Amino acid sequence: ISNGINGVLVDPENPRDIASNIANLLDSPQKRQLLSDSARSEAEKYSWESIIDRVQDVYEQFTKYRVAL
């Protein structure tokens, strides 16, 4: 989580910090939407489809390297 980008990091031992950040989010629908959109975009990087694509790219690069040897 990137604080203020795709989520909000708080001190879990500090109830005032937690409450203050919750209140800030409740008061700002635009901020909530921005965080939500960014979090979804970040999470999509870890979908099975994305992982498969990245693994396939690695295999393709490896086989090209092996052929070149």
Side-chain angles (χ1 to χ4, degrees):
I1 295 175
S2 297
N3 192 33
I5 305 294
N6 57 13
V8 178
L9 299 177
V10 297
D11 178 358
E13 301 295 323
N14 185 338
R16 288 179 194 239
D17 186 36
I18 296 168
S20 173
N21 279 283
I22 290 172
N24 287 338
L25 290 171
L26 289 172
D27 290 339
S28 180
Q30 299 86 3
K31 178 77 170 181
R32 288 195 313 267
Q33 189 63 53
L34 177 66
L35 291 173
S36 175
D37 292 345
S38 295
R40 180 176 303 277
S41 178
E42 184 68 21
E44 287 173 357
K45 294 178 185 176
Y46 303 97
S47 71
W48 281 115
E49 185 174 323
S50 293
I51 291 170
I52 290 167
D53 288 343
R54 291 194 319 236
V55 169
Q56 186 175 3
D57 288 345
V58 169
Y59 281 132
E60 288 173 1
Q61 290 174 7
F62 178 74
T63 57
K64 287 178 187 176
Y65 174 77
R66 296 281 295 162
V67 169
L69 291 178

